[in-house]
Every structure is written in structure tokens, then in C-alpha cells.
Amino acid sequence: MIQPLDPSPDKAAKSAHADPGITQLPVSLTHAACAQTVTPHDRQEVPVPGRAWLLGLLGTALFALSLPATRLAVGSSAAPELAPLFVALARAALAGLLAAAWLAWRRTPWPPRRLWLTIVSVAAGVVFGFPLFTSLALRQVDAVHASLMLGLLPLATAAIGARLARQRPSTAFWLWAAAGSALVCVYALRQGGQVAHPGPSGLGLHLQAADALLGLAMLAGGWGYARGALLARQLPSEQVISWAVVFSLPITLPAAYWLWPQHPAAITPTAWGALGYLGIVSMWLGFFAWYRALALGGTVRVSQVQLLQPFLSMLAAGLLLGERLDATTLLFALAVMATVLAGRRARVHPAAAAVATADEATATFATPATPGAAAPMPPTLAKPNSILNTKDAVR
């Protein structure tokens, strides 16, 4: 016999509070989480929005100024300025202090504990690994030699990003990505040959112990970019790098203080200004656009825009340092840009399951609820014990 439905609300209320340790999620969050479920039959490649390419180009341009700024900060062997190790750690400490003040001013809640390990892994790549390895390597080799390894950074970022996001780029994509990386390496070899052995036959490539450091820097940068891009799907992109540099302050701040130059007045204002750019823009603000671009367009595709970074660095060096920019450099830059544009049309098969979104991250703030009581919001950096309004929660 079919039992009639019980119209009374008592039964529903009892089932809702049968387990007081479970908090009922809002309908909007449940709907958003369900909407992210993708079956194998429904998986289709989502086109990269134009905004992602523009943000990626902006982030690449801001990072491209890092090399000329680093040269101004550390000086040359004939006229040294700041120590390379101090520059690597002081830029992170400066970014961490600014990020801490910004997060406190915005009353931004602390990220959930389940994301702390991911934030630390991002910091290990882009706050410590890449700057430290490149600084140590550049004490032994010149920037032209280092660009050979760093020219492969976009390819490493795409490979690590595809692995972490469980994506399957097509063969055509890998061919175009390899072609762009090969052009950057050929250009680096050509420039190194002209520096070491002037003439058409010189190559100037000699493997050294510093190449191991450059390889580690490439892996650290690719790891930090890929992990940060995934985290930018659960936190706003500006919070990803901000929390990474804030979590690094217990190390970077004491180290920068310990390595502070003994005669700071002897350092030129240009060197201090370059260090300020590295800390404010290269280590912090530049990642606002870069991580947002990777989150919108995918790490695999948008990372290839960074193939243009060596050429943008040389353009900036020509404007800031008066270095010569020849027609061959422009031709190589146009050829690399052509590979990036061609790679846009290559297929990248998405993963079987979508990555958690910001709505799901917000749901983790829910705590065991008491009937009739609202769950408290997480504390902020400004007031660790404060209770916030809904508008101050993580987006």
C-alpha cells in the first residue's frame, strides 16, 4: 500500500536536525557544487577567453622587467650594489609586509586549514625556489646563458600544470609548445655565441655546475605557477600570492634583516628603487594578473605566453639600460608569437572532474551548527577573534 505524504513540517525538521554535527549548506552552494560535476560524456573543451590572454600578457610584461631591475639592484662585477642573496630574500620580505597590511585592511579571512599546505607549496616554488636558485646561478653564469634554461620554463609549466590538473593536451599542442621553446633556446645559443666567440660559428654553450641550479629554478617556477593556478580557482588570485608571501615572512624577514648591507648609504638610489620594484611588482602585484590568467584560461595554454618574456626583457633592457636591440631579436620574437597563436587552436582535453571552485571553498567555513544559531565566520588577519559579515567572507 502506498503511504500518503506527511505534510507536517515536524518530520522535515527532525530529519534536518537528526545529526547536529552536520551543517546544512545553502541551496546556492549545493547547486554550484553540483553544477561543477562533469560526466565523461559531457566533457568539452572550453575556449580560452580573451581576458585570460590579456592578463597573461600583462603578467608576463611585468615579470619581464624583473631581469633589468635585478641587474640594477645587484649591479655588475665592476660596480657591485646589493648582494644577490639579499635581493632574493628582501624582495619577498617586502612583498610579505605589504601583503599582510593589505589583507588586514581588507579584513580578509584566514584561508581554510586545508589550503595551508597548498599555499606553502606555492611559496616554495615562487617565493623561495625560483628567486634563490636563479640568484645563486647568476653569480656563476651570465644572463644570456641562464636564458637557455629559463626559456624552457613555459614548457615545464605546461607539463606540470597538465599533470596536476589531469589534462591531456593534444600532440599538436606539444609540437607548437616545443617549437616555441626551441626558438627561444636557439636565440639564447646564438646570443651566447656572439658574446663568447664573436662571429657566425661561435656557440658559447658550456655546461657548468650552475646549470643544475637553473634546472632546479625551472622546476620550482613551473611548480609554483601550476599550483598557484589551481589554488586561484578556490581563492581570489590576489589572495593566492598574498598568503604565499605572508606565510613566508617568518623566514624571509629575519633573513633579510641578517643580510642587510653594512653600508646602506653607499648603495645608489637606483639600486634601492629596483629592489622596490622587485618586491612590489615582480613578487606581488604581477601575480595578481598572472594567477588570474592561469585560472581563467588554464595553465597549459596561458603559460605559453611567457615564451615572450625573454624578448620583452631585452626590450625593457634597451629602454632602461641602453642596451642594443637588433632586428634579429624582433624576428625571433615574432616567430615565437606565431607559435603561441598557433598553439591556441590545438586541443587540450579537460579533466574528468572539475577542480573545486570558490563556492566550495566557502562551504568549508561552515562549522557544526546548533538549531537556530548561525555559523560564525572565520577570523581575519586584522582581528583574529572577530566575527565578520557575510560580505567579508572569501569569495
Side-chain angles (χ1 to χ4, degrees):
M1 177 181 297
I2 300 177
Q3 298 293 333
L5 296 177
D6 187 1
S8 63
D10 296 337
K11 186 175 182 180
K14 291 180 180 179
S15 61
H17 300 291
D19 188 352
I22 300 178
T23 302
Q24 299 297 322
L25 296 179
V27 178
S28 59
L29 291 179
T30 306
H31 177 73
C34 295
Q36 295 297 324
T37 304
V38 181
T39 62
H41 301 287
D42 296 334
R43 278 185 292 158
Q44 294 181 356
E45 185 179 4
V46 180
V48 179
R51 183 185 177 191
W53 295 110
L54 292 178
L55 289 173
L57 186 59
L58 174 61
T60 300
L62 294 176
F63 292 154
L65 293 174
S66 299
L67 184 58
T70 303
R71 180 61 184 272
L72 291 174
V74 301
S76 61
S77 57
E81 295 285 351
L82 296 169
L85 189 58
F86 169 75
V87 171
L89 293 172
R91 59 188 282 187
L94 176 59
L97 292 175
L98 293 175
W102 180 77
L103 291 170
W105 176 68
R106 292 284 302 270
R107 300 175 61 86
T108 303
W110 283 90
R113 289 182 179 272
R114 66 180 181 84
L115 298 180
W116 286 12
L117 183 60
T118 304
I119 295 174
V120 171
S121 67
V122 172
V126 299
V127 178
F128 294 103
F130 187 82
L132 286 177
F133 288 137
T134 52
S135 298
L136 294 175
L138 286 174
R139 299 184 68 180
Q140 306 176 38
V141 298
D142 55 19
V144 175
H145 184 98
S147 64
L148 175 62
M149 277 292 188
L150 300 184
L152 298 176
L153 177 59
L155 190 62
T157 303
I160 297 174
R163 179 69 176 176
L164 293 178
R166 299 181 181 179
Q167 294 178 327
R168 293 181 296 107
S170 61
T171 303
F173 173 84
W174 288 122
L175 290 176
W176 285 116
S181 300
L183 285 172
V184 175
C185 292
V186 169
Y187 178 79
L189 287 172
R190 179 183 179 276
Q191 294 297 104
Q194 291 182 353
V195 173
H197 305 286
S201 59
L203 285 180
L205 177 63
H206 304 285
L207 295 179
Q208 305 179 31
D211 292 327
L213 295 174
L214 292 173
L216 293 175
M218 178 187 65
L219 295 177
W223 171 265
Y225 290 158
R227 293 293 290 178
L230 291 179
L231 187 58
R233 299 185 181 184
Q234 305 180 67
L235 290 175
S237 57
E238 61 271 16
Q239 290 188 25
V240 172
I241 186 60
S242 295
W243 287 118
V245 292
V246 167
F247 277 34
S248 305
L249 277 177
I251 298 177
T252 59
L253 193 58
Y257 177 78
W258 180 263
L259 296 172
W260 188 266
Q262 295 181 355
H263 305 286
I267 307 300
T268 61
T270 302
W272 287 114
L275 177 61
Y277 180 88
L278 292 172
I280 299 173
V281 179
S282 297
M283 184 59 72
W284 189 37
L285 295 180
F287 282 96
F288 284 27
W290 182 242
Y291 278 146
R292 182 59 177 166
L294 296 181
L296 285 175
T299 306
V300 174
R301 287 193 182 278
V302 179
S303 63
Q304 301 308 296
V305 177
Q306 209 171 23
L307 287 170
L308 299 174
Q309 183 169 327
F311 305 101
L312 295 177
S313 295
M314 293 180 183
L315 178 61
L319 297 176
L320 298 177
L321 304 177
E323 297 183 3
R324 183 171 172 265
L325 186 66
D326 56 8
T328 304
T329 300
L330 297 178
L331 290 177
F332 269 94
L334 292 176
V336 170
M337 187 179 298
T339 63
V340 175
L341 294 176
R344 289 180 56 185
R345 301 181 179 273
R347 293 185 59 83
V348 176
H349 303 287
V355 183
T357 62
D359 288 336
E360 294 172 312
T362 306
T364 61
F365 287 141
T367 57
T370 304
M377 298 305 297
T380 64
L381 192 62
K383 295 183 179 181
N385 298 320
S386 64
I387 303 299
L388 302 183
N389 296 324
T390 305
K391 65 179 182 179
D392 295 319
V394 173
R395 289 183 281 128

